[in-house]
Amino acid sequence: MDLSNLYQEVILDHYKHPEHKGLSLEKDVQVHHINPSCGDEITINLTMRDGVVSDLTWDGVGCSISMASASMMTGLLHGKNAAEATVIVESFVDLMHSKGTSQGDENVLEDAVAFAGVSQYPARIKCALLGWMAYKDAAIQVHGK
Ligand code: ZN
């Protein structure tokens, strides 16, 4: 298979130079998710202030797809309100389930459209979604507080 679809430059950049990596000491909730099929693990710390994602940090180990995706996710969601963040997350989830038929909405996902090619590789979709699912879980938990 043609892996050039998978490993776009921007993905490798985020893997090598991750954003918001290293967990904040202060947080409202902490969530830990794993992707057993690949061995990826992620922990995220989320703080919401006045309905806005004021702090979102992560740490983890795993493949380049999972780590780069988590980096991009935290960068995109920082400073967004809960509704905006949900739109972005749902847009990314839709993209991952598009089986290669969608290029993604760059207005919503920005650099994360680089993951569009991953949707053609079922085994890697969970890698790409790991951080986003962790955020989704954290957002639900923080709402319940
Ligand atoms: Zn993985």
PDB file of all heavy atoms in Angstrom, residues 93-133:
ATOM      1  N   VAL A  93     -14.141  13.131  13.334  1.00  0.00           N
ATOM      2  CA  VAL A  93     -14.675  11.758  13.403  1.00  0.00           C
ATOM      3  C   VAL A  93     -15.318  11.381  12.060  1.00  0.00           C
ATOM      4  O   VAL A  93     -15.079  10.286  11.529  1.00  0.00           O
ATOM      5  CB  VAL A  93     -15.692  11.619  14.561  1.00  0.00           C
ATOM      6  CG1 VAL A  93     -16.407  10.267  14.504  1.00  0.00           C
ATOM      7  CG2 VAL A  93     -14.988  11.787  15.910  1.00  0.00           C
ATOM      8  N   ASP A  94     -16.107  12.301  11.491  1.00  0.00           N
ATOM      9  CA  ASP A  94     -16.716  12.055  10.173  1.00  0.00           C
ATOM     10  C   ASP A  94     -15.646  11.796   9.115  1.00  0.00           C
ATOM     11  O   ASP A  94     -15.790  10.908   8.281  1.00  0.00           O
ATOM     12  CB  ASP A  94     -17.560  13.264   9.732  1.00  0.00           C
ATOM     13  CG  ASP A  94     -18.867  13.354  10.505  1.00  0.00           C
ATOM     14  OD1 ASP A  94     -19.212  12.385  11.209  1.00  0.00           O
ATOM     15  OD2 ASP A  94     -19.529  14.407  10.410  1.00  0.00           O
ATOM     16  N   LEU A  95     -14.592  12.607   9.167  1.00  0.00           N
ATOM     17  CA  LEU A  95     -13.501  12.451   8.200  1.00  0.00           C
ATOM     18  C   LEU A  95     -12.880  11.062   8.319  1.00  0.00           C
ATOM     19  O   LEU A  95     -12.619  10.392   7.318  1.00  0.00           O
ATOM     20  CB  LEU A  95     -12.442  13.538   8.427  1.00  0.00           C
ATOM     21  CG  LEU A  95     -11.206  13.488   7.515  1.00  0.00           C
ATOM     22  CD1 LEU A  95     -11.596  13.636   6.048  1.00  0.00           C
ATOM     23  CD2 LEU A  95     -10.207  14.560   7.916  1.00  0.00           C
ATOM     24  N   MET A  96     -12.656  10.616   9.558  1.00  0.00           N
ATOM     25  CA  MET A  96     -12.029   9.304   9.766  1.00  0.00           C
ATOM     26  C   MET A  96     -12.932   8.160   9.316  1.00  0.00           C
ATOM     27  O   MET A  96     -12.464   7.080   8.996  1.00  0.00           O
ATOM     28  CB  MET A  96     -11.649   9.123  11.246  1.00  0.00           C
ATOM     29  CG  MET A  96     -10.443   9.908  11.675  1.00  0.00           C
ATOM     30  SD  MET A  96      -8.973   9.534  10.666  1.00  0.00           S
ATOM     31  CE  MET A  96      -8.931  10.970   9.619  1.00  0.00           C
ATOM     32  N   HIS A  97     -14.230   8.408   9.277  1.00  0.00           N
ATOM     33  CA  HIS A  97     -15.161   7.362   8.851  1.00  0.00           C
ATOM     34  C   HIS A  97     -15.534   7.490   7.375  1.00  0.00           C
ATOM     35  O   HIS A  97     -16.450   6.819   6.905  1.00  0.00           O
ATOM     36  CB  HIS A  97     -16.421   7.397   9.728  1.00  0.00           C
ATOM     37  CG  HIS A  97     -16.131   6.976  11.136  1.00  0.00           C
ATOM     38  ND1 HIS A  97     -16.846   7.427  12.222  1.00  0.00           N
ATOM     39  CD2 HIS A  97     -15.190   6.150  11.649  1.00  0.00           C
ATOM     40  CE1 HIS A  97     -16.352   6.897  13.334  1.00  0.00           C
ATOM     41  NE2 HIS A  97     -15.348   6.124  13.012  1.00  0.00           N
ATOM     42  N   SER A  98     -14.807   8.328   6.662  1.00  0.00           N
ATOM     43  CA  SER A  98     -15.191   8.613   5.267  1.00  0.00           C
ATOM     44  C   SER A  98     -14.607   7.602   4.272  1.00  0.00           C
ATOM     45  O   SER A  98     -14.887   7.691   3.081  1.00  0.00           O
ATOM     46  CB  SER A  98     -14.739  10.018   4.883  1.00  0.00           C
ATOM     47  OG  SER A  98     -13.325  10.056   4.726  1.00  0.00           O
ATOM     48  N   LYS A  99     -13.781   6.683   4.757  1.00  0.00           N
ATOM     49  CA  LYS A  99     -13.174   5.654   3.889  1.00  0.00           C
ATOM     50  C   LYS A  99     -12.454   6.252   2.679  1.00  0.00           C
ATOM     51  O   LYS A  99     -12.471   5.689   1.586  1.00  0.00           O
ATOM     52  CB  LYS A  99     -14.235   4.647   3.402  1.00  0.00           C
ATOM     53  CG  LYS A  99     -14.926   3.902   4.532  1.00  0.00           C
ATOM     54  CD  LYS A  99     -15.860   2.835   3.972  1.00  0.00           C
ATOM     55  CE  LYS A  99     -16.399   1.915   5.042  1.00  0.00           C
ATOM     56  NZ  LYS A  99     -17.383   2.574   5.923  1.00  0.00           N
ATOM     57  N   GLY A 100     -11.873   7.401   2.892  1.00  0.00           N
ATOM     58  CA  GLY A 100     -11.091   8.010   1.818  1.00  0.00           C
ATOM     59  C   GLY A 100     -11.902   8.842   0.847  1.00  0.00           C
ATOM     60  O   GLY A 100     -11.357   9.360  -0.127  1.00  0.00           O
ATOM     61  N   THR A 101     -13.200   9.007   1.093  1.00  0.00           N
ATOM     62  CA  THR A 101     -14.046   9.757   0.154  1.00  0.00           C
ATOM     63  C   THR A 101     -14.091  11.249   0.464  1.00  0.00           C
ATOM     64  O   THR A 101     -14.575  12.028  -0.346  1.00  0.00           O
ATOM     65  CB  THR A 101     -15.495   9.238   0.167  1.00  0.00           C
ATOM     66  OG1 THR A 101     -16.037   9.425   1.474  1.00  0.00           O
ATOM     67  CG2 THR A 101     -15.560   7.759  -0.198  1.00  0.00           C
ATOM     68  N   SER A 102     -13.583  11.652   1.657  1.00  0.00           N
ATOM     69  CA  SER A 102     -13.635  13.061   2.039  1.00  0.00           C
ATOM     70  C   SER A 102     -12.229  13.620   2.186  1.00  0.00           C
ATOM     71  O   SER A 102     -11.305  12.927   2.626  1.00  0.00           O
ATOM     72  CB  SER A 102     -14.386  13.201   3.374  1.00  0.00           C
ATOM     73  OG  SER A 102     -14.241  14.524   3.855  1.00  0.00           O
ATOM     74  N   GLN A 103     -12.065  14.870   1.802  1.00  0.00           N
ATOM     75  CA  GLN A 103     -10.789  15.564   2.003  1.00  0.00           C
ATOM     76  C   GLN A 103     -10.798  16.332   3.312  1.00  0.00           C
ATOM     77  O   GLN A 103      -9.761  16.852   3.720  1.00  0.00           O
ATOM     78  CB  GLN A 103     -10.545  16.555   0.856  1.00  0.00           C
ATOM     79  CG  GLN A 103     -10.403  15.883  -0.502  1.00  0.00           C
ATOM     80  CD  GLN A 103      -9.272  14.863  -0.521  1.00  0.00           C
ATOM     81  OE1 GLN A 103      -8.152  15.177  -0.129  1.00  0.00           O
ATOM     82  NE2 GLN A 103      -9.559  13.646  -0.930  1.00  0.00           N
ATOM     83  N   GLY A 104     -11.944  16.409   3.956  1.00  0.00           N
ATOM     84  CA  GLY A 104     -12.053  17.150   5.207  1.00  0.00           C
ATOM     85  C   GLY A 104     -12.283  18.632   4.965  1.00  0.00           C
ATOM     86  O   GLY A 104     -11.926  19.158   3.912  1.00  0.00           O
ATOM     87  N   ASP A 105     -12.875  19.281   5.916  1.00  0.00           N
ATOM     88  CA  ASP A 105     -13.177  20.709   5.817  1.00  0.00           C
ATOM     89  C   ASP A 105     -12.035  21.500   6.453  1.00  0.00           C
ATOM     90  O   ASP A 105     -11.906  21.552   7.674  1.00  0.00           O
ATOM     91  CB  ASP A 105     -14.499  20.995   6.541  1.00  0.00           C
ATOM     92  CG  ASP A 105     -14.935  22.450   6.367  1.00  0.00           C
ATOM     93  OD1 ASP A 105     -14.096  23.281   5.927  1.00  0.00           O
ATOM     94  OD2 ASP A 105     -16.096  22.745   6.669  1.00  0.00           O
ATOM     95  N   GLU A 106     -11.247  22.121   5.605  1.00  0.00           N
ATOM     96  CA  GLU A 106     -10.065  22.828   6.102  1.00  0.00           C
ATOM     97  C   GLU A 106     -10.429  24.030   6.964  1.00  0.00           C
ATOM     98  O   GLU A 106      -9.649  24.443   7.826  1.00  0.00           O
ATOM     99  CB  GLU A 106      -9.191  23.260   4.918  1.00  0.00           C
ATOM    100  CG  GLU A 106      -7.734  23.380   5.300  1.00  0.00           C
ATOM    101  CD  GLU A 106      -6.793  23.489   4.113  1.00  0.00           C
ATOM    102  OE1 GLU A 106      -7.246  23.315   2.958  1.00  0.00           O
ATOM    103  OE2 GLU A 106      -5.612  23.759   4.355  1.00  0.00           O
ATOM    104  N   ASN A 107     -11.619  24.597   6.740  1.00  0.00           N
ATOM    105  CA  ASN A 107     -12.062  25.727   7.560  1.00  0.00           C
ATOM    106  C   ASN A 107     -12.291  25.322   9.005  1.00  0.00           C
ATOM    107  O   ASN A 107     -12.175  26.136   9.916  1.00  0.00           O
ATOM    108  CB  ASN A 107     -13.359  26.322   7.002  1.00  0.00           C
ATOM    109  CG  ASN A 107     -13.137  26.976   5.658  1.00  0.00           C
ATOM    110  OD1 ASN A 107     -12.104  27.615   5.439  1.00  0.00           O
ATOM    111  ND2 ASN A 107     -14.085  26.801   4.758  1.00  0.00           N
ATOM    112  N   VAL A 108     -12.639  24.055   9.193  1.00  0.00           N
ATOM    113  CA  VAL A 108     -12.915  23.554  10.538  1.00  0.00           C
ATOM    114  C   VAL A 108     -11.684  22.851  11.117  1.00  0.00           C
ATOM    115  O   VAL A 108     -11.295  23.086  12.256  1.00  0.00           O
ATOM    116  CB  VAL A 108     -14.105  22.567  10.516  1.00  0.00           C
ATOM    117  CG1 VAL A 108     -14.346  21.979  11.909  1.00  0.00           C
ATOM    118  CG2 VAL A 108     -15.363  23.260  10.008  1.00  0.00           C
ATOM    119  N   LEU A 109     -11.054  22.030  10.291  1.00  0.00           N
ATOM    120  CA  LEU A 109     -10.012  21.135  10.797  1.00  0.00           C
ATOM    121  C   LEU A 109      -8.585  21.650  10.602  1.00  0.00           C
ATOM    122  O   LEU A 109      -7.646  21.079  11.173  1.00  0.00           O
ATOM    123  CB  LEU A 109     -10.140  19.761  10.128  1.00  0.00           C
ATOM    124  CG  LEU A 109     -11.398  18.981  10.511  1.00  0.00           C
ATOM    125  CD1 LEU A 109     -11.511  17.698   9.672  1.00  0.00           C
ATOM    126  CD2 LEU A 109     -11.395  18.627  11.997  1.00  0.00           C
ATOM    127  N   GLU A 110      -8.444  22.691   9.798  1.00  0.00           N
ATOM    128  CA  GLU A 110      -7.109  23.242   9.528  1.00  0.00           C
ATOM    129  C   GLU A 110      -6.129  22.139   9.127  1.00  0.00           C
ATOM    130  O   GLU A 110      -6.459  21.323   8.270  1.00  0.00           O
ATOM    131  CB  GLU A 110      -6.639  24.065  10.743  1.00  0.00           C
ATOM    132  CG  GLU A 110      -7.591  25.241  11.026  1.00  0.00           C
ATOM    133  CD  GLU A 110      -7.230  26.027  12.276  1.00  0.00           C
ATOM    134  OE1 GLU A 110      -6.089  26.002  12.730  1.00  0.00           O
ATOM    135  OE2 GLU A 110      -8.143  26.717  12.783  1.00  0.00           O
ATOM    136  N   ASP A 111      -4.978  22.061   9.794  1.00  0.00           N
ATOM    137  CA  ASP A 111      -3.959  21.074   9.414  1.00  0.00           C
ATOM    138  C   ASP A 111      -4.404  19.624   9.587  1.00  0.00           C
ATOM    139  O   ASP A 111      -3.811  18.713   9.013  1.00  0.00           O
ATOM    140  CB  ASP A 111      -2.678  21.281  10.243  1.00  0.00           C
ATOM    141  CG  ASP A 111      -1.873  22.468   9.748  1.00  0.00           C
ATOM    142  OD1 ASP A 111      -2.210  22.999   8.670  1.00  0.00           O
ATOM    143  OD2 ASP A 111      -0.914  22.845  10.429  1.00  0.00           O
ATOM    144  N   ALA A 112      -5.416  19.415  10.394  1.00  0.00           N
ATOM    145  CA  ALA A 112      -5.853  18.043  10.662  1.00  0.00           C
ATOM    146  C   ALA A 112      -6.458  17.358   9.434  1.00  0.00           C
ATOM    147  O   ALA A 112      -6.633  16.142   9.427  1.00  0.00           O
ATOM    148  CB  ALA A 112      -6.842  18.007  11.831  1.00  0.00           C
ATOM    149  N   VAL A 113      -6.719  18.116   8.364  1.00  0.00           N
ATOM    150  CA  VAL A 113      -7.158  17.472   7.125  1.00  0.00           C
ATOM    151  C   VAL A 113      -6.052  16.574   6.553  1.00  0.00           C
ATOM    152  O   VAL A 113      -6.325  15.727   5.713  1.00  0.00           O
ATOM    153  CB  VAL A 113      -7.621  18.484   6.037  1.00  0.00           C
ATOM    154  CG1 VAL A 113      -8.850  19.253   6.498  1.00  0.00           C
ATOM    155  CG2 VAL A 113      -6.494  19.427   5.649  1.00  0.00           C
ATOM    156  N   ALA A 114      -4.833  16.763   7.044  1.00  0.00           N
ATOM    157  CA  ALA A 114      -3.726  15.905   6.604  1.00  0.00           C
ATOM    158  C   ALA A 114      -3.989  14.441   6.934  1.00  0.00           C
ATOM    159  O   ALA A 114      -3.374  13.544   6.349  1.00  0.00           O
ATOM    160  CB  ALA A 114      -2.417  16.354   7.255  1.00  0.00           C
ATOM    161  N   PHE A 115      -4.905  14.199   7.866  1.00  0.00           N
ATOM    162  CA  PHE A 115      -5.220  12.823   8.251  1.00  0.00           C
ATOM    163  C   PHE A 115      -6.251  12.166   7.326  1.00  0.00           C
ATOM    164  O   PHE A 115      -6.611  11.014   7.526  1.00  0.00           O
ATOM    165  CB  PHE A 115      -5.726  12.762   9.694  1.00  0.00           C
ATOM    166  CG  PHE A 115      -4.635  12.986  10.703  1.00  0.00           C
ATOM    167  CD1 PHE A 115      -4.390  14.245  11.201  1.00  0.00           C
ATOM    168  CD2 PHE A 115      -3.848  11.928  11.143  1.00  0.00           C
ATOM    169  CE1 PHE A 115      -3.369  14.475  12.117  1.00  0.00           C
ATOM    170  CE2 PHE A 115      -2.834  12.134  12.050  1.00  0.00           C
ATOM    171  CZ  PHE A 115      -2.597  13.411  12.543  1.00  0.00           C
ATOM    172  N   ALA A 116      -6.729  12.898   6.324  1.00  0.00           N
ATOM    173  CA  ALA A 116      -7.770  12.364   5.438  1.00  0.00           C
ATOM    174  C   ALA A 116      -7.392  10.989   4.880  1.00  0.00           C
ATOM    175  O   ALA A 116      -8.216  10.073   4.841  1.00  0.00           O
ATOM    176  CB  ALA A 116      -8.059  13.344   4.302  1.00  0.00           C
ATOM    177  N   GLY A 117      -6.137  10.844   4.476  1.00  0.00           N
ATOM    178  CA  GLY A 117      -5.691   9.579   3.889  1.00  0.00           C
ATOM    179  C   GLY A 117      -5.777   8.398   4.841  1.00  0.00           C
ATOM    180  O   GLY A 117      -5.926   7.252   4.416  1.00  0.00           O
ATOM    181  N   VAL A 118      -5.692   8.683   6.144  1.00  0.00           N
ATOM    182  CA  VAL A 118      -5.736   7.615   7.150  1.00  0.00           C
ATOM    183  C   VAL A 118      -7.073   6.875   7.106  1.00  0.00           C
ATOM    184  O   VAL A 118      -7.142   5.676   7.428  1.00  0.00           O
ATOM    185  CB  VAL A 118      -5.478   8.208   8.560  1.00  0.00           C
ATOM    186  CG1 VAL A 118      -5.648   7.152   9.648  1.00  0.00           C
ATOM    187  CG2 VAL A 118      -4.085   8.820   8.640  1.00  0.00           C
ATOM    188  N   SER A 119      -8.123   7.562   6.670  1.00  0.00           N
ATOM    189  CA  SER A 119      -9.455   6.945   6.678  1.00  0.00           C
ATOM    190  C   SER A 119      -9.549   5.760   5.712  1.00  0.00           C
ATOM    191  O   SER A 119     -10.501   4.996   5.745  1.00  0.00           O
ATOM    192  CB  SER A 119     -10.526   7.985   6.347  1.00  0.00           C
ATOM    193  OG  SER A 119     -10.421   8.387   4.999  1.00  0.00           O
ATOM    194  N   GLN A 120      -8.542   5.613   4.847  1.00  0.00           N
ATOM    195  CA  GLN A 120      -8.505   4.459   3.934  1.00  0.00           C
ATOM    196  C   GLN A 120      -7.895   3.224   4.584  1.00  0.00           C
ATOM    197  O   GLN A 120      -7.897   2.149   3.990  1.00  0.00           O
ATOM    198  CB  GLN A 120      -7.665   4.788   2.699  1.00  0.00           C
ATOM    199  CG  GLN A 120      -8.197   5.943   1.890  1.00  0.00           C
ATOM    200  CD  GLN A 120      -7.187   6.367   0.833  1.00  0.00           C
ATOM    201  OE1 GLN A 120      -6.738   5.565   0.033  1.00  0.00           O
ATOM    202  NE2 GLN A 120      -6.827   7.633   0.842  1.00  0.00           N
ATOM    203  N   TYR A 121      -7.352   3.390   5.778  1.00  0.00           N
ATOM    204  CA  TYR A 121      -6.656   2.287   6.442  1.00  0.00           C
ATOM    205  C   TYR A 121      -7.331   1.981   7.772  1.00  0.00           C
ATOM    206  O   TYR A 121      -7.008   2.591   8.798  1.00  0.00           O
ATOM    207  CB  TYR A 121      -5.184   2.652   6.678  1.00  0.00           C
ATOM    208  CG  TYR A 121      -4.472   3.064   5.412  1.00  0.00           C
ATOM    209  CD1 TYR A 121      -4.382   4.405   5.048  1.00  0.00           C
ATOM    210  CD2 TYR A 121      -3.924   2.095   4.568  1.00  0.00           C
ATOM    211  CE1 TYR A 121      -3.749   4.782   3.868  1.00  0.00           C
ATOM    212  CE2 TYR A 121      -3.291   2.465   3.389  1.00  0.00           C
ATOM    213  CZ  TYR A 121      -3.204   3.814   3.043  1.00  0.00           C
ATOM    214  OH  TYR A 121      -2.593   4.181   1.883  1.00  0.00           O
ATOM    215  N   PRO A 122      -8.291   1.043   7.732  1.00  0.00           N
ATOM    216  CA  PRO A 122      -9.103   0.783   8.935  1.00  0.00           C
ATOM    217  C   PRO A 122      -8.279   0.553  10.208  1.00  0.00           C
ATOM    218  O   PRO A 122      -8.676   0.999  11.284  1.00  0.00           O
ATOM    219  CB  PRO A 122      -9.885  -0.468   8.559  1.00  0.00           C
ATOM    220  CG  PRO A 122      -9.981  -0.412   7.073  1.00  0.00           C
ATOM    221  CD  PRO A 122      -8.697   0.210   6.597  1.00  0.00           C
ATOM    222  N   ALA A 123      -7.130  -0.100  10.059  1.00  0.00           N
ATOM    223  CA  ALA A 123      -6.324  -0.406  11.235  1.00  0.00           C
ATOM    224  C   ALA A 123      -5.755   0.846  11.890  1.00  0.00           C
ATOM    225  O   ALA A 123      -5.392   0.825  13.072  1.00  0.00           O
ATOM    226  CB  ALA A 123      -5.187  -1.359  10.866  1.00  0.00           C
ATOM    227  N   ARG A 124      -5.658   1.943  11.137  1.00  0.00           N
ATOM    228  CA  ARG A 124      -5.032   3.146  11.678  1.00  0.00           C
ATOM    229  C   ARG A 124      -6.038   4.196  12.144  1.00  0.00           C
ATOM    230  O   ARG A 124      -5.660   5.185  12.775  1.00  0.00           O
ATOM    231  CB  ARG A 124      -4.092   3.781  10.644  1.00  0.00           C
ATOM    232  CG  ARG A 124      -3.114   2.834  10.010  1.00  0.00           C
ATOM    233  CD  ARG A 124      -2.371   1.959  11.025  1.00  0.00           C
ATOM    234  NE  ARG A 124      -1.619   2.700  12.023  1.00  0.00           N
ATOM    235  CZ  ARG A 124      -0.396   3.170  11.827  1.00  0.00           C
ATOM    236  NH1 ARG A 124       0.215   2.960  10.691  1.00  0.00           N
ATOM    237  NH2 ARG A 124       0.225   3.836  12.771  1.00  0.00           N
ATOM    238  N   ILE A 125      -7.294   3.980  11.832  1.00  0.00           N
ATOM    239  CA  ILE A 125      -8.308   4.980  12.195  1.00  0.00           C
ATOM    240  C   ILE A 125      -8.371   5.173  13.707  1.00  0.00           C
ATOM    241  O   ILE A 125      -8.449   6.303  14.203  1.00  0.00           O
ATOM    242  CB  ILE A 125      -9.687   4.592  11.614  1.00  0.00           C
ATOM    243  CG1 ILE A 125      -9.632   4.682  10.072  1.00  0.00           C
ATOM    244  CG2 ILE A 125     -10.792   5.494  12.151  1.00  0.00           C
ATOM    245  CD1 ILE A 125     -10.845   4.120   9.371  1.00  0.00           C
ATOM    246  N   LYS A 126      -8.274   4.059  14.430  1.00  0.00           N
ATOM    247  CA  LYS A 126      -8.316   4.166  15.899  1.00  0.00           C
ATOM    248  C   LYS A 126      -7.108   4.915  16.449  1.00  0.00           C
ATOM    249  O   LYS A 126      -7.198   5.559  17.488  1.00  0.00           O
ATOM    250  CB  LYS A 126      -8.397   2.775  16.528  1.00  0.00           C
ATOM    251  CG  LYS A 126      -9.793   2.193  16.482  1.00  0.00           C
ATOM    252  CD  LYS A 126      -9.866   0.876  17.223  1.00  0.00           C
ATOM    253  CE  LYS A 126     -11.266   0.308  17.132  1.00  0.00           C
ATOM    254  NZ  LYS A 126     -11.278  -1.124  17.465  1.00  0.00           N
ATOM    255  N   CYS A 127      -5.992   4.796  15.751  1.00  0.00           N
ATOM    256  CA  CYS A 127      -4.799   5.551  16.151  1.00  0.00           C
ATOM    257  C   CYS A 127      -5.097   7.052  16.047  1.00  0.00           C
ATOM    258  O   CYS A 127      -4.840   7.821  16.967  1.00  0.00           O
ATOM    259  CB  CYS A 127      -3.621   5.219  15.249  1.00  0.00           C
ATOM    260  SG  CYS A 127      -3.141   3.490  15.227  1.00  0.00           S
ATOM    261  N   ALA A 128      -5.633   7.430  14.891  1.00  0.00           N
ATOM    262  CA  ALA A 128      -5.898   8.846  14.644  1.00  0.00           C
ATOM    263  C   ALA A 128      -6.967   9.401  15.578  1.00  0.00           C
ATOM    264  O   ALA A 128      -6.927  10.565  15.960  1.00  0.00           O
ATOM    265  CB  ALA A 128      -6.309   9.050  13.187  1.00  0.00           C
ATOM    266  N   LEU A 129      -7.918   8.548  15.937  1.00  0.00           N
ATOM    267  CA  LEU A 129      -9.041   9.025  16.757  1.00  0.00           C
ATOM    268  C   LEU A 129      -8.763   9.016  18.259  1.00  0.00           C
ATOM    269  O   LEU A 129      -9.521   9.612  19.027  1.00  0.00           O
ATOM    270  CB  LEU A 129     -10.286   8.159  16.494  1.00  0.00           C
ATOM    271  CG  LEU A 129     -11.043   8.443  15.193  1.00  0.00           C
ATOM    272  CD1 LEU A 129     -12.168   7.425  15.015  1.00  0.00           C
ATOM    273  CD2 LEU A 129     -11.625   9.860  15.191  1.00  0.00           C
ATOM    274  N   LEU A 130      -7.689   8.368  18.677  1.00  0.00           N
ATOM    275  CA  LEU A 130      -7.462   8.151  20.115  1.00  0.00           C
ATOM    276  C   LEU A 130      -7.564   9.435  20.946  1.00  0.00           C
ATOM    277  O   LEU A 130      -8.334   9.508  21.907  1.00  0.00           O
ATOM    278  CB  LEU A 130      -6.091   7.484  20.318  1.00  0.00           C
ATOM    279  CG  LEU A 130      -5.728   7.131  21.754  1.00  0.00           C
ATOM    280  CD1 LEU A 130      -6.647   6.047  22.309  1.00  0.00           C
ATOM    281  CD2 LEU A 130      -4.263   6.668  21.835  1.00  0.00           C
ATOM    282  N   GLY A 131      -6.801  10.440  20.580  1.00  0.00           N
ATOM    283  CA  GLY A 131      -6.811  11.685  21.348  1.00  0.00           C
ATOM    284  C   GLY A 131      -8.169  12.378  21.318  1.00  0.00           C
ATOM    285  O   GLY A 131      -8.605  12.962  22.316  1.00  0.00           O
ATOM    286  N   TRP A 132      -8.831  12.305  20.177  1.00  0.00           N
ATOM    287  CA  TRP A 132     -10.124  12.982  20.008  1.00  0.00           C
ATOM    288  C   TRP A 132     -11.197  12.318  20.857  1.00  0.00           C
ATOM    289  O   TRP A 132     -12.061  12.991  21.432  1.00  0.00           O
ATOM    290  CB  TRP A 132     -10.517  12.971  18.529  1.00  0.00           C
ATOM    291  CG  TRP A 132      -9.497  13.633  17.653  1.00  0.00           C
ATOM    292  CD1 TRP A 132      -8.278  13.120  17.295  1.00  0.00           C
ATOM    293  CD2 TRP A 132      -9.571  14.936  17.060  1.00  0.00           C
ATOM    294  NE1 TRP A 132      -7.610  14.031  16.494  1.00  0.00           N
ATOM    295  CE2 TRP A 132      -8.375  15.137  16.332  1.00  0.00           C
ATOM    296  CE3 TRP A 132     -10.560  15.933  17.063  1.00  0.00           C
ATOM    297  CZ2 TRP A 132      -8.129  16.306  15.628  1.00  0.00           C
ATOM    298  CZ3 TRP A 132     -10.318  17.095  16.361  1.00  0.00           C
ATOM    299  CH2 TRP A 132      -9.102  17.282  15.653  1.00  0.00           C
ATOM    300  N   MET A 133     -11.127  10.977  20.927  1.00  0.00           N
ATOM    301  CA  MET A 133     -12.086  10.256  21.769  1.00  0.00           C
ATOM    302  C   MET A 133     -11.823  10.555  23.246  1.00  0.00           C
ATOM    303  O   MET A 133     -12.753  10.639  24.046  1.00  0.00           O
ATOM    304  CB  MET A 133     -11.989   8.748  21.507  1.00  0.00           C
ATOM    305  CG  MET A 133     -12.444   8.323  20.129  1.00  0.00           C
ATOM    306  SD  MET A 133     -14.197   8.703  19.808  1.00  0.00           S
ATOM    307  CE  MET A 133     -14.060  10.114  18.760  1.00  0.00           C
TER     308      MET A 133
END
